[in-house]
Amino acid sequence: MCGIVGYIGNQEAAPILLDGLTKLEYRGYDSAGLAVFDGENINIVKAKGRLQVLRELTGDGKALKGCIGIGHTRWATHGAPSVTNSHPHHNAKETIAVVHNGIIENYMKLKEKLIKKGYTFISETDTEVVAHLLDYYYNGNPVETIAKVMHRVEGSYALGIIFKDHPDKLYAVRKDSPLIVGVGEHENFIASDVPAILKYTRNVYFIENEEIVELSKKDVHFYNSDVEEIEKEMSEVKWDISAAEKSGYEHFMLKEIYEQPKALRDTISPRVKNGEIVIDELTMTEEDIKNIKKIFIVACGSAYHAGVNGKYVIEGAARIPVEVDLASEFRYRNPILEEGTLVIIISQSGETADSIAALREAKSRGIKVLGIVNVVGSTIARESDNVMYTWAGPEIAVATTKAYSTQLSALYLLAMYFGKVKGTLAKEEYSDMLKELMLLPDKVQTILGDKENIQFFANRYVGAKDVFFIGRGQDYAVSLEGSLKLKEISYIHSEAYAAGELKHGTISLIEEGTLVTAVLTNEELYKKTISNIVEVRTRGAFVLAVTNEDNILDKETADYVIYIPKTHKYFTSSLAVVPLQLFGYYVSVGRGCDVDKPRNLAKSVTVE
Ligand code: G6P
């Protein structure tokens, strides 16, 4: 959500900023802009719509001269997407320009105050307040000025700032919105995320809350909110730039679907040693684990769906009661968090605002938090008591695929590990599960080999108006994810229902030809779900079934069947989700939608 890039060095800034913003497109945006300092003036160009419009306006950046600049992709919150509301914003004299990711919660109060002091506002944004506040407090010293502004604004922000008076400096500050600093040779960068700068450097600093950064082309200095200089440790990004490029695939989403076998292997293998699950990063002792009385899994979007699935596995394998909550609900519902509670926060980005708030709520009440996170060094990773990284690599498509799959596998590992420690998993079952866990990547690969079958079916349904997904138990949990994948990228209305719940309302929506996708991978529940299939078919539904290869369904039972390899009953969602992802993907492609950047959505939801 909103992307920030900043550059200072010997090269022309604008093309580098545009290139960086392109790498951040996945975050979601509806307008974009650049501010480049040419040695005399700060020149600003902004455009509504895709980055291509900004490229055309600036001749691929060549029309904006200068070696210091800031760029921004805006996902509208305060004020509609428009040229005026897009960033950078500036003070009246155009001597200060600022880009912002986040929300200034007290902006109305600050705006009123500034208007009384004679300031005029031209946009409807909260960000413009920051530009004028910087002007109001400006005392010739940018770090002191930024610190003053920081003490007055409430909310979340990552800011990139240039001052005309300081032509050889670039400034940044953050609180609760992501920001990194990239260190190159005679050039330095700021960015919302690593892919924006990876072409130029692997050396990065992760900025902590309320830290101010001053960059020149040679140095980077860090200050705390009391304007005292602080030392920070540089990190090296280990993954390769190709991981953030399409490598011949038509879309990032398809590439990431295909990367799932590797992502699963990378997440599972390092945690299996000599036939045992070893989760080195957990600082919990066996005693601590035995003392867990209750687990809350808290997350948003697909990560929440992974949590719904994890509940079945943890309760089954470790016999610990699990409650799964949407982070946006958990944070405000005053949950009962007693001693012996563990909160697991799942997040691909590690920057989702509601998930961060839920984490802080739990911690403030003395509860231990375990983060299952994909982005190394992200806020949730840093603030959790324990972090288990999912090694999916960078995920660019807004609709998650490989990160979701690795979240499932992390939950399996955890459930088995807890089950072993607590003695709730019989030895035989533990080894059976372990064997199947290790085979999951190959089985996912097998399903990918059958993609034409799904593509063929998807092409028939590009015109669908409503699609229902049904299943029981974990098949219901994976249906939630299948339904989300379809609706978010193809804009077809879709719902997932626990199959047994159909009769309580949803069945009235079934008409002649309505597509119902039924997932039935749990042997113990086959017959029950088949009854539900019969019910909807009787009312005219066309049924696509996803089931295990040994559960042969005849034409009388389902209209079209996708068979997946057999695995342990707890792991079937990891296989069932693959055809559902491919189905969503191909329907979206067939409808000509922007698969990787669906309308109105952002990859990383950094505002509430
Ligand atoms: C957005 C993304 C989803 C993601 C959700 C939670 O809605 O589009 O793919 O599941 O945020 O994000 P997180 O980074 O916390 O997993």
Side-chain angles (χ1 to χ4, degrees):
M1 220 168 224
C2 295
I4 289 179
V5 186
Y7 175 81
I8 183 161
N10 291 326
Q11 304 187 58
E12 287 295 304
I16 295 176
L17 297 175
L18 282 168
D19 181 54
L21 291 177
T22 308
K23 301 285 184 333
L24 298 180
E25 278 193 292
Y26 72 89
R27 299 173 69 80
Y29 70 102
D30 34 49
S31 57
L34 302 174
V36 177
F37 185 51
D38 66 7
E40 276 186 27
N41 296 307
I42 297 174
N43 299 302
I44 297 178
V45 181
K46 312 200 269 192
K48 191 180 158 195
R50 291 287 170 209
L51 272 175
Q52 188 52 30
V53 185
L54 190 62
R55 283 186 184 284
E56 281 161 19
L57 272 178
T58 60
D60 281 329
K62 290 186 201 89
L64 272 177
K65 296 281 170 216
C67 303
I68 304 174
I70 45 180
H72 188 264
T73 44
R74 172 174 187 254
W75 193 89
T77 56
H78 294 64
S82 69
V83 174
T84 316
N85 287 335
S86 54
H87 303 207
H89 290 282
H90 54 80
N91 60 341
K93 291 168 276 169
E94 297 192 24
T95 52
I96 302 170
V98 56
V99 289
H100 168 218
N101 172 19
I103 289 182
I104 307 298
E105 285 166 4
N106 59 340
Y107 85 103
M108 278 310 283
K109 218 168 107 196
L110 294 169
K111 193 169 174 174
E112 280 163 22
K113 174 183 155 154
L114 287 162
I115 289 172
K116 276 192 201 137
K117 302 266 175 207
Y119 283 86
T120 312
F121 283 77
I122 48 179
S123 80
E124 302 153 277
T125 65
D126 50 337
T127 307
E128 200 183 347
V129 161
V130 178
H132 293 313
L133 262 190
L134 285 164
D135 179 277
Y136 179 68
Y137 287 117
Y138 187 63
N139 64 355
N141 180 329
V143 176
E144 282 176 18
T145 308
I146 293 168
K148 268 196 193 132
V149 170
M150 199 163 88
H151 290 134
R152 284 174 182 62
V153 296
E154 289 163 17
S156 59
Y157 49 85
L159 300 170
I161 310 162
I162 46 180
F163 293 85
K164 188 176 166 176
D165 284 3
H166 296 265
D168 52 354
K169 298 277 189 328
L170 166 65
Y171 294 88
V173 60
R174 78 166 278 248
K175 182 176 163 270
D176 295 341
S177 288
L179 194 74
I180 57 148
V181 166
V183 179
E185 266 196 39
H186 306 300
E187 57 184 4
N188 291 309
F189 308 80
I190 56 166
S192 300
D193 198 1
V194 173
I197 55 151
L198 202 54
K199 196 163 144 188
Y200 311 97
T201 179
R202 291 176 167 280
N203 297 326
V204 301
Y205 287 102
F206 295 104
I207 314 302
E208 296 294 333
N209 272 349
E210 305 199 333
E211 285 179 358
I212 303 168
V213 197
E214 181 186 67
L215 303 95
S216 66
K217 63 182 175 190
K218 288 212 187 99
D219 300 306
V220 185
H221 295 281
F222 301 96
Y223 301 87
N224 63 18
S225 56
D226 294 326
V227 197
E228 292 158 348
E229 187 156 3
I230 49 172
E231 292 293 317
K232 285 182 74 74
E233 213 174 297
M234 197 154 73
S235 309
E236 197 195 333
V237 177
K238 297 276 191 288
W239 46 270
D240 204 69
I241 183 106
S242 66
E245 286 177 348
K246 278 194 220 159
S247 319
Y249 284 90
E250 203 184 331
H251 298 103
F252 278 111
M253 183 175 176
L254 189 62
K255 174 178 177 251
E256 288 158 7
I257 290 174
Y258 270 80
E259 282 171 346
Q260 290 181 111
K262 179 179 182 317
L264 284 171
R265 225 169 263 128
D266 290 351
T267 304
I268 297 167
S269 305
R271 285 148 178 155
V272 179
K273 289 176 191 149
N274 305 320
E276 294 280 335
I277 290 173
V278 184
I279 312 182
D280 285 328
E281 57 269 56
L282 288 191
T283 56
M284 278 180 247
T285 63
E286 296 209 341
E287 218 34 52
D288 292 336
I289 293 167
K290 285 181 187 152
N291 286 333
I292 300 174
K293 294 196 180 64
K294 183 164 185 180
I295 294 177
F296 281 86
I297 302 182
V298 187
C300 302
S302 296
Y304 167 77
H305 294 160
V308 176
N309 221 305
K311 171 185 166 78
Y312 292 92
V313 191
I314 296 175
E315 289 192 340
R319 307 306 297 155
I320 304 171
V322 178
E323 218 171 299
V324 192
D325 257 279
L326 291 162
S328 51
E329 291 294 317
F330 180 89
R331 63 183 291 189
Y332 294 121
R333 78 173 175 86
N334 192 12
I336 299 166
L337 299 172
E338 288 170 339
E339 216 188 310
T341 299
L342 172 70
V343 168
I344 300 178
I345 307 274
I346 309 177
S347 176
Q348 187 285 126
S349 62
E351 300 293 352
T352 303
D354 283 323
S355 304
I356 295 173
L359 175 152
R360 291 181 182 158
E361 170 70 16
K363 284 191 74 175
S364 72
R365 292 165 61 175
I367 299 297
K368 288 268 179 260
V369 173
L370 164 63
I372 296 181
V373 181
N374 195 44
V375 176
V376 176
S378 56
T379 303
I380 295 176
R382 289 198 312 268
E383 294 191 16
S384 296
D385 299 289
N386 282 277
V387 193
M388 216 178 143
Y389 280 114
T390 50
W391 297 114
E395 193 178 62
I396 308 294
V398 166
T400 179
T401 51
K402 61 175 180 171
Y404 166 83
S405 285
T406 56
Q407 287 161 355
L408 286 184
S409 67
L411 289 161
Y412 303 157
L413 285 160
L414 212 58
M416 290 174 66
Y417 181 61
F418 285 0
K420 178 89 191 292
V421 170
K422 289 192 65 199
T424 49
L425 257 187
K427 239 187 180 169
E428 226 168 72
E429 175 140 42
Y430 180 82
S431 18
D432 186 33
M433 284 174 82
L434 200 57
K435 192 180 102 225
E436 284 300 332
L437 192 62
M438 300 296 281
L439 288 173
L440 272 184
D442 289 342
K443 292 186 176 178
V444 168
Q445 193 70 56
T446 307
I447 301 169
L448 291 172
D450 193 29
K451 80 166 174 40
E452 271 79 20
N453 196 11
I454 299 151
Q455 186 172 9
F456 169 78
F457 183 80
N459 286 338
R460 288 170 58 175
Y461 274 89
V462 291
K465 281 212 170 58
D466 303 284
V467 179
F468 296 93
F469 288 74
I470 59 168
R472 289 169 180 257
Q474 287 182 256
D475 290 337
Y476 164 58
V478 78
S479 295
L480 291 169
E481 179 59 9
S483 168
L484 176 63
K485 283 292 85 85
L486 179 71
K487 84 175 95 176
E488 66 182 339
I489 57 173
S490 72
Y491 319 140
I492 293 175
H493 166 252
S494 162
E495 305 281 342
Y497 274 90
E501 195 56 21
L502 270 178
K503 282 205 245 347
H504 300 286
T506 312
I507 203 158
S508 66
L509 299 171
I510 305 295
E511 293 173 352
E512 196 60 39
T514 305
L515 177 61
V516 175
T517 299
V519 184
L520 52 167
T521 66
N522 185 327
E523 276 175 55
E524 293 149 28
L525 298 169
Y526 279 165
K527 283 197 184 135
K528 297 279 173 200
T529 309
I530 287 177
S531 306
N532 300 122
I533 294 178
V534 171
E535 283 161 11
V536 291
R537 288 193 83 216
T538 313
R539 285 153 183 91
F542 187 95
V543 171
L544 164 71
V546 177
T547 192
N548 301 329
E549 58 198 2
D550 66 350
N551 185 34
I552 304 299
L553 299 177
D554 56 28
K555 274 268 163 238
E556 303 310 307
T557 314
D559 299 281
Y560 201 88
V561 187
I562 306 277
Y563 291 103
I564 56 172
K566 221 171 167 275
T567 181
H568 189 278
K569 66 171 182 186
Y570 286 142
F571 306 152
T572 55
S573 294
S574 290
L575 303 184
V577 77
V578 181
L580 303 184
Q581 294 167 338
L582 287 167
F583 178 63
Y585 172 77
Y586 283 117
V587 171
S588 174
V589 171
R591 288 166 71 89
C593 300
D594 193 347
V595 179
D596 287 335
K597 300 185 286 286
R599 69 184 180 207
N600 305 340
L601 295 180
K603 177 81 182 154
S604 182
V605 182
T606 51
V607 295
E608 191 178 343

